[in-house]
Amino acid sequence: MVLDPHLLALFMVTTVIAMITPGPDMLFILGCGMRGGPRAGLLATAGVATSEAVHVAVAAAGLAALFAAVPLAFTVVRVVGAAYLIYLGVRTIRHRKDTQGLDPASGPRISGRRAYLNGLVTNLLNPKMVTFTIAFLPQFISPALGHVWLQFAVLGVILIVLEFIVDGTVGVLAGRIAGWLRRRQAAKRGIDIATGGIFIGLGIRLAVDR
């Protein structure tokens, strides 16, 4: 077994819930889809997913080597990462109204190529995404199973596939999704509160559950 089944299930649920929250990535992809059509929305998703693949590869190589050389480092990274997830949860709840009134369709028409490059570069150079990847993925790694790098790789592939399923759907169905978001600010705030609570709960549980 490459991954711990319990941690894998927890990873899948948490990732899907986090992705369906209308955050910066979703709003970016949504805007690209509305301004450039379904193809631009899908290519924007591909750009974001490509940057995530790079983040996962870097995190896997660096952290796997670190955990092998200094076993105590896994505990340190896990605890710090859990604390960061709790921080993200609190921040999500506190800033749940920040996107109110935001129109994802604002701006000039965008080509598919530009949508891909914008998604790639913006996410690739975003230090918050690097921090999130380093904090998030190790929470679902079990050193006792061995092959830490392989566990990272499998989680990374799942993350990217879910990215395409969730945000790719948003990009293709941009018009309808955008209208829903504009009309459902109360629903969005509710999702933010739920997601924030999940991050807080996940951080607390993972900090004390191993």
Side-chain angles (χ1 to χ4, degrees):
M1 181 67 69
V2 176
L3 296 171
D4 182 301
H6 171 72
L7 292 178
L8 177 58
L10 195 59
F11 172 77
M12 295 282 289
V13 172
T14 305
T15 301
V16 170
I17 292 175
M19 284 185 175
I20 64 175
T21 303
D25 280 350
M26 181 178 286
L27 289 174
F28 165 74
I29 292 168
L30 183 64
C32 288
M34 291 187 67
R35 289 184 280 134
R39 180 172 178 273
L42 197 58
L43 286 174
T45 304
V48 171
T50 302
S51 70
E52 288 180 352
V54 174
H55 290 155
V56 171
V58 171
L63 292 178
L66 177 63
F67 295 160
V70 186
L72 181 62
F74 175 76
T75 300
V76 174
V77 170
R78 180 174 59 82
V79 172
V80 172
Y84 182 67
L85 291 176
I86 294 172
Y87 160 76
L88 284 181
V90 173
R91 186 175 183 277
T92 299
I93 294 173
R94 290 186 61 188
H95 295 273
R96 60 189 179 277
K97 297 181 180 179
D98 283 3
T99 59
Q100 186 169 8
L102 181 62
D103 183 1
S106 61
R109 184 170 178 81
I110 186 171
S111 67
R113 179 174 179 273
R114 176 58 60 183
Y116 175 83
L117 291 176
N118 284 351
L120 172 64
V121 174
T122 301
N123 236 31
L124 196 60
L125 300 180
N126 185 353
K128 291 183 179 180
M129 288 305 301
V130 178
T131 304
F132 179 77
T133 301
I134 293 175
F136 187 64
L137 290 185
Q139 306 301 323
F140 307 95
I141 298 292
S142 177
L145 295 178
H147 302 294
V148 171
W149 66 271
L150 182 57
Q151 294 186 60
F152 268 110
V154 173
L155 291 177
V157 170
I158 294 173
L159 180 69
I160 292 168
V161 170
L162 291 176
E163 178 78 48
F164 268 103
I165 292 174
V166 177
D167 284 347
T169 300
V170 170
V172 172
L173 302 178
R176 293 183 181 180
I177 298 294
W180 184 88
L181 284 178
R182 284 197 295 266
R183 294 192 301 270
R184 307 288 183 180
Q185 288 297 333
K188 184 220 175 285
R189 291 194 294 272
I191 293 174
D192 283 347
I193 292 173
T195 303
I198 288 170
F199 275 139
I200 293 171
L202 176 65
I204 294 174
R205 178 171 182 176
L206 292 175
V208 302
D209 197 29
R210 282 190 241 167

